[in-house]
Amino acid sequence: MTSPLEARSLSLVREGNTVLDDVSFTVAQGEIFALLGGNGAGKSSTLLTFLGFLEPSGGDILVNGTSVGSDVALARSAIAYLPEAAALYGHMTAYENLDYFLDLADKLASQAEIDAALERVALLVEARSRRLQSYSKGMRQKTAIALALLRETPILLLDEPTSGLDPIAIDEFHDLVKALAEGGQTILMVTHDVYGACQVADRVGLLRRGKLVGSFAAENNKRINTEAVHAAFAEREAV
Amino acid sequence: MMLRNFAREIRFLSKDRGALFWLALSFILSVIAVSFGVTEVREQRETIANLIEEDAADRANALEGQEDWGSAAYYAFHFTYAPPSDFAFAAMGQRDSTPWKHRVRMLALEAQIHEADTRNADFGLVGRFDFAFLAASVVPLLLILLLYDLRASERSASRHDFLVATAGSSLSLWFPRALVRVAGLALLLLVPLWVASLIAGASGMVTLQATGIVVGALAVWWLIVELVSRIKASPSVLLTSLIGLWLALAIVVPALSKAVIETNNPIPDGGEILLLQRETVNDAWDLPKEATMKPFIETHPEWREYAEIEEGFEWKWYYAFQQVGDQKAAPLVEQYREARLRRDRQAGIAALLSPTSFVERAFEKLAGTDAVSMIAYEDEVRDFHAELRAFHYPLMFPEKDYDSGLLAELPLYKPES
Ligand SMILES: Nc1ncnc2c1ncn2[C@@H]1O[C@H](COP(=O)(O)OP(=O)(O)OP(=O)(O)O)[C@@H](O)[C@H]1O
Ligand SMILES: [Mg+2]
C-alpha cells in the first residue's frame, strides 16, 4: 500500500542555501507524524514542498504515491494545510472566512457542519460573527483549525498548530488530532513543542539543519528520547 | 465551476473597502465626465440653434433696402457650423481646439476661416475632462490601483501560499479575483456612457464600438499589470513600477511622439494665411485692375467677356480681387491642410505605441471630433462659399438688374453630417 506522504532522499535549496539534505520518511494512513526541530531546521520548508510551492533540488516528494511535481493540483486537493501564521482575513468574520475558503477549496459545508467544527475547536459562539481582526492569536488559530477540519481531506499538514493556544486548548487540540487520525486522516505536523509532539504523535522525526537525524515511535505517548531531542535542538544557535 | 468562482469573488470584493472605493470613484468620475460632455454638446447645439435663428434675421435685415448685387453680397453674412454628433459628448476631441462655426460672406474666404485660429484658446496639456480622457488616461490608473497588489498584498500578509494551496490552482483564484474587479470597473464606467448615449440618441453601433474600445483598453492594461505583478516584489515596488509605466505610456510617449511629429511636419501658422490674404487683398486696391482680372479670368474663363473694368470702383473687380486673394493663399492653405492631415496620419501610427493615445483617437473618430472631421468641415465651408460665388457671379458679372426677389434663392448652409 502506498503511503499518503513520502519524502524520498529529498533535498532542497532555497536561494543558494541547502535547506533540506537527503531527507527520507513516510507517513502511513491514519498515522500522526511529528517533525521536531529548532528554528530554521527546515520544517516549514518540508510542508511547502509537499504542497508544491518549493521544488526539490534532489530526490522526490510524493502524495498518495504520485510525485507532487507531476500533478500539483491533485496533491493540493488531498491536503488541508494549516500555515505557520494563521492566514485568514482580518476584515471578515469566522463564518465569512470559512465560507470563502471552503468555497475556494470547492467544498460544500452546511451551516450545521460549520458550527459543529467551530464547536470542536471551542470557538465561542459570540465570537463567530465578529471580524477576525478583533480575535486573539489563539482564536484565529482555532478558526484556521476548524477550516482544516471542514475540508475533510485525507491528509493534514499542520505547521505549529498549537502555537498561540493556551494549555487547555492544546490538550483539546491534541485529542482532536488523535480522533482525526483514528478516523483515517493522515497527519504531518511540525513543531518545536517536544512534549506536545511526543504526546500526540505516533512517530516523531528529528530535523537538524535540514537533515533527518533520527526518528522514533513515541510509545504510549510517554517516553521521550531526550538525548536525541536535545541533539536535534543542539545546533539551534548556530543557525 | 467558473461561475461559482466568480460568485465567491464577487462576495469577496463586496467586503474589500479599498477596491469598493476605487470602483465607486470610477462610477462618479464616469458620471461627471459624461455629464460634462452632454452639457457641452447641449450648449453647442443651443448656440447653433440661436445663431441659425439670428442668421436668417440678420441677413434679412442686411439685405433690406440694398440696391445692387455687390452691396447685397457684401452685407449678407452666412452662418456655417459643424453640429456636434450624437456621440460627441463622449469625446469633444478637436472641437475644443478647432473652430466648428464660421460666419462667412462673399469676401476672400481663407482669412475668414483662419481668423478664428488666432482666437481659439488652447486647453493645454491635460485637455477636457470628457469620457474619452477618462477612459484613455484615468482608467488605467484606477485599474492599476485595483489590481496591482492582488497577489503582493496576500504575499505580504503571508496568506499567498495558503490561498493557493486551498484553491489547488491559481486559475480558480487569481483569474476570477482580477476579472471581477476588471468587469466591475468596466460596468461602472460604461453604464453612465450607455445612459448618456441613449439620452443623446447616439447610434447603438457607435455605442457598441465605444464599449469595445473601453473593454479592449482594459484588457491591454490588465495584461500589463498582470505581467508586472508576476514579479515577486513588495506591493509598493509594484505600484511604483506600474505608475512609472502608466506615466510612460499615458503621458510621456504621447507627448514625445506629438513633439516629434510636430517638429517633423511644420505647419504654417493660420495667422500667416490670414496675413498673406489680407496683404493680397489690400495691395489689390493700388494695383492696376488687370493685375487682378488676369489671374481671375484664368480660373473663371466664363466671365472673360465681362472682365473689362472701367476707371473707379466696380463690385465685380472688388469680388475678383477677393477671389484672387483666395487663389494666392491656396498653396499655403493646401500646405496647411496637408500638413495637418499628415500629422494626423502619423499620430495614428504613433498611437500604436500608447494605449492612451489609441483610445483617445478611436473615441474622437467615433464622435466625429477628429482632425479629419474638422478639416472636412472647413472643406464644407469652402464648398458653401463656392456656391455663394456661383450664385452671385452670374448676377454680378453680366451686371443683371438687381432683383431682391432672387435673393430667396441664396444658397443656405446645410451641414453634411
Ligand atoms: N522565503 C525564503 N527564502 C529563502 N530562504 C528561506 C525562506 N524561508 C526560509 N528560508 C530558509 O530556509 C531554512 C529553513 O526554514 P524553515 O522556515 O523551513 O524553518 P523552520 O524549521 O520552519 O523554522 P521555524 O521553527 O523558525 O519556523 C532557513 O535556513 C531559512 O533561512
Ligand atoms: Mg517554520
Side-chain angles (χ1 to χ4, degrees):
Chain A
M1 203 185 126
T2 55
S3 313
L5 295 172
E6 179 173 4
R8 267 188 208 156
S9 302
L10 174 65
S11 297
L12 182 70
V13 175
R14 293 184 84 171
E15 294 185 356
N17 300 317
T18 300
V19 169
L20 294 174
D21 186 6
D22 196 21
V23 170
S24 298
F25 63 86
T26 59
V27 189
Q29 203 216 321
E31 189 184 24
I32 304 173
F33 184 63
L35 209 48
L36 269 173
N39 294 128
K43 305 183 297 292
S44 299
S45 302
T46 308
L47 299 190
L48 289 175
T49 315
F50 274 112
L51 289 163
F53 289 109
L54 301 173
E55 221 173 293
S57 44
D60 202 1
I61 193 133
L62 300 98
V63 171
N64 290 324
T66 308
S67 172
V68 171
S70 69
D71 194 342
V72 183
L74 183 74
R76 286 176 185 164
S77 69
I79 296 173
Y81 163 58
L82 183 71
E84 196 163 3
L88 299 172
Y89 285 104
H91 68 283
M92 303 202 296
T93 68
Y95 284 134
E96 288 167 347
N97 267 294
L98 292 178
D99 175 58
Y100 181 82
F101 281 95
L102 286 172
D103 199 304
L104 191 63
D106 205 10
K107 172 83 193 163
L108 289 171
S110 68
Q111 186 60 42
E113 287 168 313
I114 288 174
D115 274 316
L118 290 170
E119 206 58 56
R120 279 180 97 176
V121 298
L123 186 75
L124 295 175
V125 178
E126 309 85 271
R128 295 176 194 171
S129 302
R130 257 176 31 214
R131 294 186 178 172
L132 262 64
Q133 60 208 12
S134 71
Y135 277 24
S136 70
K137 189 165 175 248
M139 289 161 81
R140 277 196 289 268
Q141 188 72 359
K142 286 176 175 179
T143 313
I145 295 167
L147 171 63
L149 294 181
L150 284 160
R151 294 271 316 270
E152 294 182 315
T153 51
I155 301 168
L156 284 172
L157 298 187
L158 311 172
D159 198 340
E160 319 274 7
T162 54
S163 81
L165 297 184
D166 61 46
I168 295 174
I170 290 178
D171 273 349
E172 286 170 353
F173 176 71
H174 286 159
D175 290 343
L176 181 60
V177 169
K178 278 188 238 169
L180 293 175
E182 268 155 33
Q185 275 176 290
T186 305
I187 295 160
L188 169 59
M189 60 187 277
V190 307
T191 180
H192 324 113
D193 177 8
V194 181
Y195 300 96
C198 293
Q199 233 175 52
V200 70
D202 299 307
R203 270 188 315 129
V204 177
L206 296 174
L207 201 59
R208 188 172 89 192
R209 302 190 73 185
K211 283 197 163 126
L212 196 62
V213 293
S215 72
F216 54 89
E219 277 165 57
N220 301 328
N221 305 328
K222 280 203 184 87
R223 284 188 52 79
I224 297 165
N225 184 339
T226 30
E227 226 168 275
V229 171
H230 280 273
F233 283 91
E235 290 198 38
R236 192 184 71 229
E237 272 125 54
V239 179
Chain B
M1 180 61 209
M2 220 40 191
L3 271 182
R4 230 183 90 188
N5 286 330
F6 290 128
R8 181 189 70 241
E9 291 306 330
I10 288 170
R11 267 178 287 144
F12 183 76
L13 174 64
S14 72
K15 291 177 200 116
D16 184 339
R17 293 218 191 124
L20 291 180
F21 171 78
W22 295 121
L23 288 175
L25 185 68
S26 316
F27 181 72
I28 292 167
L29 288 177
S30 180
V31 170
I32 291 173
V34 155
S35 342
F36 276 173
V38 169
T39 311
E40 176 64 26
V41 165
R42 187 181 306 136
E43 276 168 13
Q44 292 191 4
R45 290 229 168 97
E46 272 165 22
T47 306
I48 288 171
N50 290 340
L51 288 174
I52 289 174
E53 216 168 284
E54 281 171 28
D55 177 56
D58 283 356
R59 197 163 44 248
N61 244 341
L63 289 173
E64 174 125 354
Q66 296 300 344
E67 286 169 356
D68 58 73
W69 293 118
S71 320
Y74 185 87
Y75 289 107
F77 279 91
H78 301 260
F79 176 57
T80 75
Y81 57 97
S85 75
D86 290 334
F87 193 65
F89 73 87
M92 296 311 293
Q94 310 294 320
R95 276 181 92 79
D96 279 336
S97 52
T98 320
W100 45 267
K101 58 181 175 26
H102 292 292
R103 264 177 106 221
V104 297
R105 52 179 170 159
M106 269 281 286
L107 306 189
L109 175 65
E110 294 302 335
Q112 301 182 65
I113 289 181
H114 294 288
E115 201 174 22
D117 271 16
T118 50
R119 273 193 270 117
N120 245 285
D122 209 335
F123 267 84
L125 188 68
V126 200
R128 180 189 286 278
F129 187 75
D130 54 18
F131 188 86
F133 174 76
L134 176 69
S137 306
V138 183
V139 164
L141 211 50
L142 291 167
L143 189 81
I144 288 172
L145 291 169
L146 278 169
L147 296 184
Y148 80 97
D149 70 344
L150 274 195
R151 283 189 176 85
S153 66
E154 300 294 14
R155 224 174 258 128
S156 60
S158 52
R159 197 182 295 124
H160 179 273
D161 290 350
F162 178 54
L163 273 168
V164 175
T166 308
S169 76
S170 294
L171 194 70
S172 58
L173 173 61
W174 304 119
F175 178 67
R177 201 175 264 199
L179 185 64
V180 162
R181 279 162 174 71
V182 178
L185 179 62
L187 213 62
L188 290 170
L189 285 171
L190 287 169
V191 165
L193 182 78
W194 292 335
V195 171
S197 284
L198 270 181
I199 293 171
S203 93
M205 198 55 214
V206 167
T207 312
L208 195 70
Q209 280 173 278
T211 302
I213 294 164
V214 171
V215 171
L218 283 174
V220 167
W221 282 103
W222 181 9
L223 188 72
I224 291 172
V225 178
E226 179 61 30
L227 291 178
V228 171
S229 57
R230 298 222 159 177
I231 305 166
K232 284 193 182 169
S234 72
S236 61
V237 170
L238 287 181
L239 184 61
T240 314
S241 325
L242 281 165
I243 292 197
L245 213 56
W246 172 79
L247 268 176
L249 289 177
I251 313 264
V252 177
V253 169
L256 268 182
S257 51
K258 185 166 186 257
V260 169
I261 289 170
E262 286 183 0
T263 340
N264 286 341
N265 300 283
I267 282 189
D269 189 356
E272 275 176 55
I273 297 175
L274 182 73
L275 265 179
L276 172 72
Q277 182 154 75
R278 287 229 170 113
E279 273 166 23
T280 315
V281 169
N282 285 339
D283 289 353
W285 288 98
D286 306 324
L287 290 174
K289 302 218 159 71
E290 305 85 75
T292 294
M293 296 317 286
K294 208 164 151 276
F296 177 79
I297 289 305
E298 270 166 28
T299 56
H300 290 75
E302 64 271 33
W303 309 119
R304 180 184 302 279
E305 50 182 308
Y306 306 105
E308 208 61 40
I309 309 294
E310 289 158 28
E311 276 306 298
F313 181 82
E314 271 198 61
W315 278 116
K316 54 187 178 183
W317 165 67
Y318 178 80
Y319 286 108
F321 73 62
Q322 299 292 333
Q323 164 102 48
V324 171
D326 277 335
Q327 285 171 210
K328 277 264 167 60
L332 201 55
V333 167
E334 187 54 21
Q335 230 181 311
Y336 184 64
R337 189 176 178 284
E338 275 310 310
R340 279 187 296 163
L341 285 171
R342 201 160 49 234
R343 277 185 180 184
D344 183 58
R345 277 195 301 274
Q346 295 183 4
I349 295 165
L352 296 174
L353 297 175
S354 157
T356 296
S357 310
F358 189 89
V359 169
E360 233 154 37
R361 286 181 59 85
F363 262 87
E364 285 175 10
K365 201 164 197 177
L366 282 182
T369 54
D370 54 342
V372 172
S373 304
M374 299 321 284
I375 292 170
Y377 161 61
E378 268 175 30
D379 289 343
E380 276 180 55
V381 176
R382 291 192 181 100
D383 290 346
F384 171 71
H385 197 263
E387 273 180 60
L388 273 185
R389 281 176 169 153
F391 174 85
H392 281 287
Y393 286 175
L395 301 169
M396 223 173 265
F397 280 88
E399 297 179 41
K400 292 263 169 68
D401 286 336
Y402 184 72
D403 171 6
S404 62
L406 279 180
L407 291 174
E409 261 136 70
L410 260 175
L412 252 183
Y413 178 80
K414 272 252 147 25
E416 251 167 47
S417 43

